[in-house]
Amino acid sequence: MKRLFWLSVGVVGGVALSRKARETARQATPTGLASNLGDAVRELAGAVGSFGAEVRAGMSEREQELHEMVEQRSGVPAPRSGRVGSAGDGRHAAPGPRPARARRAEG
């Protein structure tokens, strides 16, 4: 019975080690390296995107605090022109249509 137990432990260990070795070898191939690099770039892009969103939210919050402070100290409503909507989401309004340009005289 003891021998059967150790035989099964050896078989399970051998299978686990061979799978681990096969996965390590696959990661060392160009395809595996490209996959790892692609995953890392996607993760970095997600982190940069969420950082940017947090920065924009912080900027909006701070801008609102500053507007409130100006209104409180001066008693004059702070100018809020050029904003999209009333949420103050930190984006500037798009510029209006461009004036028509004069055509050159052909001659």
Side-chain angles (χ1 to χ4, degrees), residues 16-102:
L17 283 175
S18 69
R19 286 186 178 179
K20 183 69 175 170
R22 191 178 320 127
E23 179 62 24
T24 303
R26 187 196 66 77
Q27 288 180 354
T29 63
T31 304
L33 292 174
S35 173
N36 288 343
L37 181 62
D39 292 343
V41 168
R42 275 189 292 280
E43 185 177 333
L44 178 63
V48 167
S50 66
F51 174 73
E54 289 178 16
V55 167
R56 284 188 299 276
M59 285 172 35
S60 252
E61 184 178 324
R62 180 62 179 153
E63 185 177 7
Q64 183 64 31
E65 290 172 4
L66 292 172
H67 281 293
E68 290 171 1
M69 187 184 306
V70 166
E71 289 175 0
Q72 184 181 28
R73 290 186 180 177
S74 69
V76 177
R80 293 189 176 153
S81 61
R83 295 283 165 205
V84 174
S86 61
D89 60 1
R91 291 181 287 163
H92 291 206
R98 291 184 178 183
R101 296 173 78 177

